[in-house]
Coordinates of all heavy atoms in Angstrom, one line a residue:
M1 N -2.9 9.9 34.1 CA -1.6 10.0 33.5 C -1.7 10.8 32.2 O -2.1 10.3 31.1 CB -1.0 8.6 33.1 CG -0.7 7.7 34.4 SD -0.3 6.1 33.9 CE 1.5 6.3 33.7
E2 N -1.4 12.1 32.2 CA -1.5 12.9 31.1 C -0.3 12.7 30.2 O 0.8 12.4 30.6 CB -1.4 14.5 31.6 CG -2.6 14.9 32.4 CD -3.8 15.1 31.5 OE1 -3.6 15.5 30.4 OE2 -4.9 14.8 32.0
G3 N -0.7 12.8 28.9 CA 0.4 12.6 27.8 C 0.7 11.1 27.5 O 1.5 11.0 26.5
V4 N 0.1 10.2 28.1 CA 0.3 8.8 27.8 C -0.7 8.4 26.8 O -1.9 8.6 26.8 CB 0.2 7.9 29.0 CG1 0.4 6.4 28.6 CG2 1.2 8.3 30.1
V5 N -0.2 7.9 25.7 CA -1.1 7.4 24.5 C -1.2 5.9 24.7 O -0.1 5.2 24.6 CB -0.5 7.9 23.2 CG1 -1.4 7.4 22.1 CG2 -0.4 9.4 23.2
S6 N -2.4 5.4 24.7 CA -2.5 3.9 24.7 C -2.7 3.4 23.3 O -2.9 4.1 22.4 CB -3.8 3.6 25.5 OG -4.9 4.0 24.8
T7 N -2.5 2.1 23.2 CA -2.7 1.5 21.9 C -4.1 1.8 21.3 O -4.4 1.9 20.1 CB -2.5 -0.1 22.1 OG1 -1.1 -0.3 22.5 CG2 -2.5 -0.7 20.7
K8 N -5.1 1.7 22.2 CA -6.5 1.9 21.8 C -6.6 3.3 21.2 O -7.3 3.5 20.1 CB -7.4 1.8 23.0 CG -8.9 2.0 22.7 CD -9.8 1.9 23.9 CE -11.2 2.0 23.6 NZ -12.0 2.0 24.8
D9 N -6.0 4.3 21.7 CA -6.0 5.7 21.1 C -5.5 5.7 19.7 O -6.0 6.3 18.8 CB -5.3 6.7 22.0 CG -5.9 6.9 23.3 OD1 -7.2 6.7 23.4 OD2 -5.3 7.3 24.3
I10 N -4.3 5.0 19.5 CA -3.6 4.9 18.3 C -4.6 4.4 17.2 O -4.7 4.9 16.1 CB -2.3 4.2 18.3 CG1 -1.3 5.0 19.2 CG2 -1.7 3.9 16.9 CD1 0.0 4.2 19.5
W11 N -5.2 3.2 17.4 CA -6.1 2.5 16.5 C -7.4 3.2 16.3 O -8.1 2.9 15.3 CB -6.2 1.0 16.8 CG -4.9 0.3 16.6 CD1 -4.1 -0.2 17.6 CD2 -4.3 0.0 15.4 NE1 -3.0 -0.7 17.0 CE2 -3.2 -0.7 15.6 CE3 -4.7 0.1 14.1 CZ2 -2.2 -1.2 14.7 CZ3 -3.9 -0.3 13.1 CH2 -2.7 -1.0 13.3
S12 N -7.8 4.1 17.1 CA -9.1 4.8 17.0 C -9.0 6.1 16.2 O -9.9 6.7 15.9 CB -9.7 5.0 18.3 OG -8.9 5.9 19.2
T13 N -7.7 6.5 15.9 CA -7.5 7.7 15.2 C -7.6 7.3 13.7 O -7.3 6.3 13.3 CB -6.2 8.3 15.4 OG1 -5.2 7.4 15.2 CG2 -6.0 8.8 16.8
P14 N -8.1 8.3 12.9 CA -8.2 8.0 11.5 C -6.8 7.8 10.8 O -5.8 8.5 11.3 CB -9.0 9.2 10.9 CG -8.8 10.3 12.0 CD -8.6 9.6 13.2
P15 N -6.7 7.0 9.8 CA -5.5 6.8 9.2 C -4.9 8.1 8.4 O -5.8 8.9 8.0 CB -5.7 5.8 8.1 CG -7.1 5.7 7.9 CD -7.8 6.3 9.2
I16 N -3.7 8.3 8.4 CA -3.0 9.4 7.6 C -2.3 8.9 6.4 O -1.3 8.2 6.6 CB -2.0 10.1 8.6 CG1 -2.7 10.7 9.9 CG2 -1.3 11.3 7.8 CD1 -1.8 11.2 10.9
I17 N -2.9 9.2 5.3 CA -2.3 8.8 4.1 C -1.8 10.0 3.3 O -2.6 10.9 3.1 CB -3.3 8.0 3.2 CG1 -3.8 6.8 4.0 CG2 -2.7 7.5 1.9 CD1 -4.9 6.0 3.3
P18 N -0.5 10.0 3.0 CA 0.0 11.2 2.3 C -0.8 11.5 1.0 O -1.2 10.7 0.3 CB 1.4 10.9 2.0 CG 1.8 9.8 3.0 CD 0.5 9.1 3.2
P19 N -1.0 12.8 0.7 CA -1.8 13.2 -0.4 C -1.3 12.6 -1.8 O -2.1 12.3 -2.7 CB -1.7 14.7 -0.5 CG -1.4 15.1 0.9 CD -0.6 14.0 1.5
K20 N 0.1 12.5 -2.0 CA 0.6 12.0 -3.2 C 0.2 10.5 -3.4 O -0.2 10.1 -4.4 CB 2.1 12.1 -3.2 CG 2.6 13.5 -3.6 CD 4.2 13.4 -3.6 CE 4.7 14.8 -4.0 NZ 6.2 14.8 -4.1
V21 N 0.2 9.8 -2.3 CA -0.2 8.4 -2.3 C -1.7 8.2 -2.6 O -2.1 7.4 -3.4 CB 0.2 7.7 -1.0 CG1 -0.3 6.2 -1.0 CG2 1.7 7.6 -0.8
Q22 N -2.4 9.1 -2.0 CA -3.9 9.1 -2.2 C -4.2 9.3 -3.7 O -5.1 8.7 -4.3 CB -4.6 10.1 -1.4 CG -4.8 9.8 0.0 CD -5.5 10.9 0.9 OE1 -5.6 12.0 0.4 NE2 -5.9 10.6 2.0
Q23 N -3.5 10.3 -4.3 CA -3.7 10.7 -5.7 C -3.3 9.5 -6.6 O -4.0 9.2 -7.6 CB -2.9 11.9 -6.0 CG -3.1 12.4 -7.4 CD -2.3 13.6 -7.7 OE1 -1.5 14.1 -6.9 NE2 -2.4 14.0 -8.9
R24 N -2.2 8.9 -6.3 CA -1.7 7.7 -7.1 C -2.6 6.6 -7.0 O -2.9 6.0 -8.1 CB -0.3 7.3 -6.7 CG 0.8 8.0 -7.3 CD 2.2 7.3 -7.2 NE 2.4 6.6 -6.0 CZ 3.3 7.0 -5.0 NH1 3.9 8.1 -5.1 NH2 3.4 6.3 -3.9
L25 N -3.1 6.3 -5.9 CA -4.0 5.1 -5.7 C -5.4 5.4 -6.1 O -6.2 4.5 -6.4 CB -4.0 4.6 -4.2 CG -2.6 4.1 -3.8 CD1 -2.6 3.7 -2.3 CD2 -2.1 2.9 -4.7
A26 N -5.8 6.6 -6.3 CA -7.1 7.1 -6.7 C -7.2 7.1 -8.2 O -8.3 7.1 -8.8 CB -7.6 8.3 -6.1
T27 N -6.1 7.1 -8.9 CA -6.1 7.2 -10.4 C -6.9 6.0 -11.0 O -6.6 4.9 -10.6 CB -4.6 7.2 -10.8 OG1 -4.0 8.3 -10.3 CG2 -4.6 7.3 -12.4
D28 N -7.7 6.4 -11.9 CA -8.4 5.3 -12.5 C -7.5 4.6 -13.6 O -7.1 5.2 -14.4 CB -9.7 5.8 -13.3 CG -10.5 4.7 -14.0 OD1 -10.5 3.6 -13.5 OD2 -11.2 5.1 -14.9
V29 N -7.2 3.3 -13.3 CA -6.3 2.6 -14.2 C -7.1 2.1 -15.5 O -6.5 1.7 -16.5 CB -5.7 1.4 -13.5 CG1 -4.7 1.9 -12.5 CG2 -6.7 0.5 -12.9
G30 N -8.4 2.1 -15.4 CA -9.2 1.7 -16.6 C -9.0 0.2 -16.9 O -8.4 -0.5 -16.1
P31 N -9.5 -0.2 -18.0 CA -9.2 -1.6 -18.4 C -7.7 -1.8 -18.7 O -7.1 -0.9 -19.3 CB -10.1 -1.8 -19.6 CG -10.3 -0.4 -20.2 CD -10.3 0.5 -19.0
L32 N -7.2 -2.9 -18.2 CA -5.8 -3.1 -18.4 C -5.7 -3.6 -19.8 O -6.4 -4.3 -20.4 CB -5.4 -4.3 -17.4 CG -5.5 -3.9 -16.0 CD1 -5.1 -5.1 -15.1 CD2 -4.7 -2.6 -15.6
K33 N -4.6 -3.0 -20.5 CA -4.2 -3.4 -21.8 C -3.6 -4.7 -21.9 O -2.8 -5.1 -21.1 CB -3.4 -2.3 -22.4 CG -4.0 -1.0 -22.5 CD -3.1 0.1 -22.9 CE -3.7 1.5 -22.9 NZ -2.9 2.6 -23.2
G34 N -3.8 -5.4 -23.0 CA -3.1 -6.7 -23.2 C -3.7 -7.8 -22.2 O -4.7 -7.6 -21.6
P35 N -3.0 -8.9 -22.2 CA -3.4 -9.9 -21.3 C -3.4 -9.5 -19.9 O -2.4 -8.8 -19.4 CB -2.5 -11.1 -21.6 CG -1.2 -10.5 -22.2 CD -1.8 -9.2 -22.9
K36 N -4.3 -10.0 -19.1 CA -4.4 -9.6 -17.6 C -3.1 -10.2 -17.0 O -2.8 -11.3 -17.2 CB -5.6 -10.1 -17.0 CG -6.9 -9.4 -17.3 CD -7.9 -9.7 -16.5 CE -9.2 -8.9 -16.9 NZ -10.3 -9.2 -16.0
K37 N -2.5 -9.4 -16.2 CA -1.2 -9.7 -15.6 C -1.6 -10.1 -14.1 O -2.2 -9.4 -13.4 CB -0.3 -8.5 -15.5 CG 1.1 -8.9 -15.3 CD 2.1 -7.6 -15.5 CE 3.5 -8.0 -15.3 NZ 4.4 -6.9 -15.5
A38 N -1.2 -11.3 -13.7 CA -1.4 -11.8 -12.4 C -0.4 -11.3 -11.4 O 0.7 -11.0 -11.8 CB -1.4 -13.4 -12.4
L39 N -0.9 -11.0 -10.3 CA 0.1 -10.6 -9.2 C 0.9 -11.7 -8.8 O 0.5 -12.9 -8.7 CB -0.7 -10.1 -8.0 CG -1.6 -8.8 -8.2 CD1 -2.3 -8.5 -6.9 CD2 -0.8 -7.6 -8.6
T40 N 2.2 -11.4 -8.5 CA 3.0 -12.4 -7.9 C 2.7 -12.5 -6.5 O 2.0 -11.7 -5.9 CB 4.5 -12.0 -8.0 OG1 4.7 -10.7 -7.2 CG2 4.9 -11.6 -9.4
P41 N 3.1 -13.6 -5.8 CA 2.7 -13.8 -4.4 C 3.3 -12.6 -3.5 O 2.5 -12.2 -2.7 CB 3.4 -15.1 -4.0 CG 3.5 -15.9 -5.3 CD 3.7 -14.9 -6.4
Q42 N 4.4 -12.1 -3.9 CA 5.0 -11.0 -3.2 C 4.1 -9.7 -3.4 O 3.9 -9.0 -2.4 CB 6.5 -10.8 -3.5 CG 7.2 -10.0 -2.5 CD 8.7 -10.0 -2.8 OE1 9.1 -10.2 -4.0 NE2 9.5 -9.8 -1.8
Q43 N 3.7 -9.4 -4.5 CA 2.9 -8.3 -4.8 C 1.5 -8.4 -4.1 O 1.0 -7.5 -3.5 CB 2.7 -8.1 -6.4 CG 3.9 -7.7 -7.1 CD 3.8 -7.8 -8.6 OE1 2.8 -8.5 -9.2 NE2 4.5 -7.0 -9.3
W44 N 1.0 -9.6 -4.1 CA -0.3 -9.8 -3.4 C -0.2 -9.6 -2.0 O -0.9 -9.0 -1.3 CB -0.8 -11.3 -3.7 CG -2.0 -11.5 -3.0 CD1 -2.4 -12.5 -2.1 CD2 -3.4 -10.8 -3.2 NE1 -3.7 -12.5 -1.6 CE2 -4.3 -11.5 -2.3 CE3 -3.8 -9.8 -4.0 CZ2 -5.6 -10.9 -2.2 CZ3 -5.1 -9.3 -3.9 CH2 -6.0 -9.9 -3.0
R45 N 1.0 -10.1 -1.4 CA 1.3 -9.8 0.0 C 1.3 -8.3 0.3 O 0.9 -7.8 1.3 CB 2.5 -10.5 0.5 CG 2.9 -10.4 1.9 CD 2.4 -11.6 2.8 NE 2.5 -11.2 4.1 CZ 3.4 -11.7 5.0 NH1 4.3 -12.5 4.5 NH2 3.4 -11.3 6.2
F46 N 2.0 -7.6 -0.6 CA 2.1 -6.1 -0.4 C 0.8 -5.5 -0.4 O 0.4 -4.7 0.5 CB 3.0 -5.6 -1.6 CG 2.9 -4.0 -1.6 CD1 3.7 -3.3 -0.7 CD2 2.2 -3.3 -2.5 CE1 3.8 -1.9 -0.7 CE2 2.1 -2.0 -2.4 CZ 2.9 -1.3 -1.6
V47 N -0.2 -5.9 -1.3 CA -1.5 -5.4 -1.4 C -2.2 -5.6 -0.1 O -2.9 -4.8 0.5 CB -2.3 -5.9 -2.6 CG1 -3.7 -5.6 -2.5 CG2 -1.7 -5.5 -3.9
Q48 N -2.2 -6.9 0.4 CA -2.9 -7.2 1.6 C -2.3 -6.4 2.8 O -3.2 -6.0 3.7 CB -2.6 -8.7 1.9 CG -3.4 -9.6 0.9 CD -3.2 -11.1 1.2 OE1 -2.0 -11.5 1.4 NE2 -4.2 -11.9 1.3
E49 N -1.0 -6.4 2.9 CA -0.4 -5.6 4.0 C -0.8 -4.2 4.1 O -1.1 -3.6 5.1 CB 1.1 -5.7 4.1 CG 1.6 -7.1 4.4 CD 1.4 -7.4 5.9 OE1 1.2 -6.5 6.7 OE2 1.4 -8.6 6.2
Y50 N -0.7 -3.5 2.9 CA -1.0 -2.1 2.8 C -2.5 -1.9 3.0 O -2.9 -1.0 3.8 CB -0.7 -1.5 1.4 CG -0.8 -0.1 1.3 CD1 -0.1 0.7 2.1 CD2 -1.8 0.5 0.6 CE1 -0.3 2.1 2.2 CE2 -2.0 1.9 0.6 CZ -1.3 2.7 1.4 OH -1.5 4.0 1.4
V51 N -3.4 -2.7 2.4 CA -4.9 -2.4 2.6 C -5.4 -2.8 4.0 O -6.2 -2.1 4.5 CB -5.6 -3.1 1.5 CG1 -7.1 -2.9 1.7 CG2 -5.3 -2.5 0.1
S52 N -5.0 -3.9 4.4 CA -5.5 -4.4 5.9 C -5.0 -3.4 6.9 O -5.7 -3.3 7.9 CB -5.0 -5.8 6.1 OG -3.6 -5.8 6.3
N53 N -3.9 -2.7 6.8 CA -3.4 -1.7 7.7 C -3.6 -0.3 7.2 O -2.8 0.5 7.5 CB -2.0 -2.0 8.1 CG -1.8 -3.4 8.8 OD1 -2.5 -3.7 9.8 ND2 -1.0 -4.2 8.2
D54 N -4.6 -0.1 6.4 CA -4.8 1.1 5.8 C -4.5 2.4 6.4 O -5.2 2.8 7.4 CB -6.3 1.3 5.1 CG -6.5 2.2 4.0 OD1 -5.4 2.6 3.4 OD2 -7.6 2.6 3.8
G55 N -3.4 3.0 6.0 CA -3.0 4.3 6.7 C -2.2 4.2 8.0 O -1.8 5.1 8.5
R56 N -2.2 3.0 8.5 CA -1.4 2.8 9.8 C -0.1 2.2 9.5 O 0.7 2.1 10.5 CB -2.3 1.8 10.6 CG -3.6 2.5 11.1 CD -4.4 1.6 12.0 NE -5.5 2.4 12.5 CZ -6.6 2.6 11.9 NH1 -6.8 2.1 10.7 NH2 -7.6 3.2 12.4
V57 N 0.3 1.9 8.3 CA 1.7 1.5 8.0 C 2.0 2.3 6.7 O 1.1 2.7 6.0 CB 1.8 0.0 7.7 CG1 1.5 -0.9 8.8 CG2 0.9 -0.5 6.5
T58 N 3.3 2.6 6.6 CA 3.7 3.3 5.4 C 3.9 2.3 4.3 O 3.9 1.1 4.5 CB 5.1 4.0 5.7 OG1 6.0 2.9 6.0 CG2 5.0 4.9 6.9
L59 N 4.0 2.9 3.1 CA 4.2 1.9 1.9 C 5.4 1.2 2.1 O 5.5 -0.1 1.8 CB 4.3 2.8 0.7 CG 3.0 3.5 0.2 CD1 3.4 4.5 -0.9 CD2 2.0 2.5 -0.2
R60 N 6.5 1.7 2.7 CA 7.8 1.1 3.0 C 7.6 -0.1 3.9 O 8.1 -1.3 3.7 CB 8.8 2.0 3.5 CG 10.2 1.5 3.7 CD 11.2 2.4 4.3 NE 12.5 1.9 4.4 CZ 12.9 1.2 5.5 NH1 12.1 1.1 6.5 NH2 14.1 0.8 5.6
E61 N 6.8 0.1 5.0 CA 6.6 -0.9 6.0 C 5.8 -2.1 5.4 O 6.1 -3.3 5.6 CB 5.9 -0.3 7.1 CG 6.6 0.6 8.0 CD 5.8 1.2 9.1 OE1 4.6 1.5 8.9 OE2 6.3 1.5 10.2
A62 N 4.8 -1.7 4.5 CA 4.0 -2.8 3.8 C 4.9 -3.6 2.9 O 4.8 -4.8 2.8 CB 2.9 -2.2 3.0
A63 N 5.9 -2.9 2.3 CA 6.8 -3.6 1.3 C 7.8 -4.6 2.1 O 8.1 -5.7 1.8 CB 7.6 -2.7 0.5
L64 N 8.2 -4.0 3.3 CA 9.2 -4.9 4.2 C 8.3 -6.1 4.6 O 8.8 -7.2 4.6 CB 9.6 -4.1 5.3 CG 10.7 -3.0 5.0 CD1 10.9 -2.2 6.2 CD2 12.0 -3.7 4.6
R65 N 7.1 -5.9 5.1 CA 6.3 -7.1 5.5 C 5.9 -8.0 4.4 O 5.8 -9.2 4.6 CB 5.0 -6.5 6.1 CG 5.2 -5.7 7.5 CD 3.9 -5.3 8.0 NE 4.1 -4.5 9.1 CZ 3.1 -4.0 9.9 NH1 1.8 -4.2 9.5 NH2 3.3 -3.3 10.9
A66 N 6.0 -7.5 3.2 CA 5.7 -8.4 2.0 C 6.9 -9.2 1.6 O 6.8 -10.1 0.7 CB 5.2 -7.6 0.9
G67 N 8.1 -8.8 2.2 CA 9.3 -9.5 1.9 C 10.3 -8.9 1.0 O 11.3 -9.5 0.6
Y68 N 10.1 -7.6 0.7 CA 11.1 -6.9 -0.1 C 12.3 -6.5 0.8 O 12.1 -6.3 2.0 CB 10.5 -5.6 -0.7 CG 9.5 -6.0 -1.8 CD1 8.1 -6.0 -1.6 CD2 10.0 -6.2 -3.1 CE1 7.3 -6.3 -2.5 CE2 9.0 -6.6 -4.1 CZ 7.6 -6.6 -3.9 OH 6.8 -6.9 -4.8
S69 N 13.4 -6.4 0.3 CA 14.6 -6.2 1.0 C 14.6 -4.7 1.7 O 14.0 -3.8 1.1 CB 15.9 -6.3 0.2 OG 16.0 -5.3 -0.7
E70 N 15.3 -4.6 2.8 CA 15.4 -3.3 3.4 C 15.9 -2.2 2.5 O 15.4 -1.1 2.6 CB 16.4 -3.5 4.6 CG 16.6 -2.3 5.5 CD 15.6 -2.3 6.6 OE1 15.0 -3.4 7.1 OE2 15.3 -1.2 7.1
G71 N 16.9 -2.5 1.7 CA 17.4 -1.5 0.8 C 16.5 -1.0 -0.3 O 16.6 0.1 -0.8
S72 N 15.6 -1.9 -0.8 CA 14.8 -1.6 -2.0 C 13.4 -1.4 -1.6 O 12.5 -1.2 -2.5 CB 15.0 -2.7 -3.0 OG 14.4 -3.9 -2.5
A73 N 13.0 -1.5 -0.4 CA 11.6 -1.5 0.0 C 10.9 -0.1 -0.4 O 9.8 -0.2 -0.9 CB 11.4 -1.7 1.5
Q74 N 11.5 0.9 -0.2 CA 10.9 2.2 -0.5 C 10.7 2.4 -2.0 O 9.5 2.7 -2.5 CB 11.7 3.4 0.0 CG 11.2 4.7 -0.2 CD 9.9 5.0 0.6 OE1 9.8 4.6 1.7 NE2 8.9 5.6 0.0
A75 N 11.7 2.0 -2.8 CA 11.7 2.1 -4.2 C 10.6 1.2 -4.8 O 9.8 1.5 -5.7 CB 13.0 1.9 -4.9
E76 N 10.6 0.0 -4.3 CA 9.6 -1.0 -4.7 C 8.1 -0.6 -4.4 O 7.2 -0.7 -5.2 CB 9.9 -2.4 -4.1 CG 10.9 -3.1 -4.7 CD 10.7 -3.5 -6.2 OE1 9.6 -3.8 -6.6 OE2 11.6 -3.2 -7.0
A77 N 7.9 -0.1 -3.2 CA 6.6 0.5 -2.8 C 6.1 1.5 -3.7 O 5.0 1.6 -4.2 CB 6.6 0.9 -1.4
R78 N 7.0 2.4 -4.1 CA 6.7 3.6 -5.0 C 6.4 3.0 -6.3 O 5.5 3.4 -6.9 CB 7.9 4.5 -5.0 CG 7.5 5.9 -5.6 CD 8.6 6.9 -5.6 NE 9.3 7.0 -4.3 CZ 10.6 6.7 -4.0 NH1 11.3 6.3 -5.1 NH2 11.2 6.8 -2.9
R79 N 7.2 2.0 -6.8 CA 6.9 1.4 -8.2 C 5.6 0.7 -8.2 O 4.9 0.8 -9.1 CB 8.1 0.5 -8.5 CG 8.0 -0.1 -9.9 CD 9.1 -1.0 -10.2 NE 9.1 -2.3 -9.3 CZ 8.3 -3.3 -9.7 NH1 7.5 -3.2 -10.7 NH2 8.2 -4.3 -9.0
L80 N 5.3 0.0 -7.1 CA 4.1 -0.8 -7.1 C 2.9 0.0 -7.0 O 1.8 -0.4 -7.4 CB 4.1 -1.8 -5.9 CG 5.1 -3.0 -6.0 CD1 5.3 -3.6 -4.7 CD2 4.8 -3.9 -7.1
T81 N 2.9 1.2 -6.5 CA 1.8 2.1 -6.4 C 1.7 3.1 -7.5 O 0.8 4.0 -7.5 CB 1.7 2.8 -5.0 OG1 2.9 3.5 -4.8 CG2 1.5 1.8 -3.9
N82 N 2.6 2.9 -8.5 CA 2.5 3.9 -9.7 C 1.7 3.3 -10.7 O 1.9 2.2 -11.3 CB 3.9 4.0 -10.2 CG 4.0 5.0 -11.3 OD1 3.0 5.3 -12.0 ND2 5.2 5.6 -11.5
P83 N 0.5 3.9 -11.1 CA -0.5 3.3 -12.1 C 0.1 3.2 -13.4 O -0.4 2.4 -14.2 CB -1.6 4.3 -12.0 CG -1.2 5.5 -11.3 CD 0.0 5.2 -10.5
K84 N 1.2 3.9 -13.8 CA 1.8 3.8 -15.1 C 2.7 2.5 -15.3 O 2.8 2.0 -16.3 CB 2.6 5.0 -15.4 CG 1.7 6.2 -15.6 CD 2.5 7.5 -16.0 CE 1.5 8.6 -16.0 NZ 2.2 9.9 -16.2
T85 N 3.4 2.1 -14.1 CA 4.3 1.0 -14.2 C 3.7 -0.3 -13.7 O 4.0 -1.3 -14.2 CB 5.6 1.3 -13.4 OG1 5.2 1.6 -12.0 CG2 6.4 2.5 -13.9
C86 N 2.8 -0.2 -12.7 CA 2.2 -1.4 -12.2 C 0.6 -1.2 -12.0 O 0.1 -1.2 -10.9 CB 2.7 -1.8 -10.8 SG 4.4 -2.4 -11.0
P87 N -0.1 -1.0 -13.2 CA -1.5 -0.7 -13.0 C -2.3 -1.9 -12.5 O -3.2 -1.8 -11.8 CB -2.0 -0.5 -14.5 CG -0.9 -1.1 -15.3 CD 0.4 -1.0 -14.6
H88 N -1.7 -3.1 -12.7 CA -2.4 -4.3 -12.1 C -2.4 -4.3 -10.6 O -3.3 -4.8 -10.0 CB -1.8 -5.6 -12.7 CG -0.3 -5.8 -12.4 ND1 0.6 -5.0 -13.0 CD2 0.2 -6.7 -11.7 CE1 1.8 -5.4 -12.6 NE2 1.6 -6.5 -11.8
V89 N -1.3 -3.9 -10.0 CA -1.2 -3.7 -8.5 C -2.1 -2.7 -8.0 O -2.8 -2.9 -7.0 CB 0.3 -3.5 -8.1 CG1 0.4 -3.3 -6.5 CG2 1.2 -4.6 -8.6
V90 N -2.1 -1.5 -8.7 CA -3.0 -0.4 -8.2 C -4.4 -0.8 -8.3 O -5.3 -0.6 -7.5 CB -2.8 0.9 -9.0 CG1 -3.8 2.0 -8.7 CG2 -1.3 1.4 -8.8
A91 N -4.8 -1.6 -9.4 CA -6.2 -2.0 -9.6 C -6.5 -3.0 -8.5 O -7.6 -3.1 -7.9 CB -6.4 -2.7 -10.9
A92 N -5.5 -3.9 -8.1 CA -5.8 -4.8 -7.0 C -6.0 -4.1 -5.6 O -6.8 -4.5 -4.9 CB -4.6 -5.8 -6.9
I93 N -5.2 -3.0 -5.4 CA -5.4 -2.3 -4.2 C -6.8 -1.6 -4.2 O -7.5 -1.7 -3.2 CB -4.3 -1.2 -4.0 CG1 -3.0 -1.8 -3.8 CG2 -4.6 -0.2 -2.9 CD1 -1.7 -0.8 -3.8
Q94 N -7.2 -1.0 -5.3 CA -8.6 -0.4 -5.3 C -9.6 -1.5 -5.1 O -10.6 -1.2 -4.5 CB -8.7 0.3 -6.7 CG -7.8 1.5 -6.8 CD -7.8 2.1 -8.2 OE1 -8.4 1.5 -9.2 NE2 -7.2 3.2 -8.4
A95 N -9.5 -2.7 -5.8 CA -10.6 -3.7 -5.7 C -10.5 -4.3 -4.3 O -11.7 -4.6 -3.7 CB -10.2 -4.8 -6.7
Y96 N -9.4 -4.4 -3.7 CA -9.3 -5.0 -2.3 C -9.9 -4.1 -1.2 O -10.4 -4.6 -0.2 CB -7.9 -5.4 -2.0 CG -7.7 -6.4 -1.0 CD1 -8.2 -7.7 -1.0 CD2 -7.0 -6.0 0.2 CE1 -8.0 -8.6 0.1 CE2 -6.7 -6.9 1.3 CZ -7.3 -8.1 1.2 OH -7.0 -9.1 2.3
R97 N -9.9 -2.9 -1.5 CA -10.4 -1.8 -0.5 C -11.9 -2.0 -0.5 O -12.7 -1.8 0.3 CB -10.0 -0.4 -0.9 CG -8.7 -0.1 -0.5 CD -8.5 1.4 -0.6 NE -7.2 1.7 0.0 CZ -6.5 2.8 -0.3 NH1 -6.9 3.5 -1.2 NH2 -5.4 3.0 0.4

């Protein structure tokens, strides 16, 4: 059967992570300023969803699976992976990898 893609083929391909996301997540956040900020349960779930399915889910999908609303998932995912606004989340993603 030519042209049929199996689930095995999909999971054996390397993940595709957009360059902008790679750059944001590779940014060295350095030591966090002030008291260490703990991740909320929803932020931790986002980190787990994104890292465990590395490159196989979009940031939006990871945010939806973490419980963010359909309307704000994309914006929240972008905010959570921005080292300037949420360095503690980016540091958690880097450490969890």
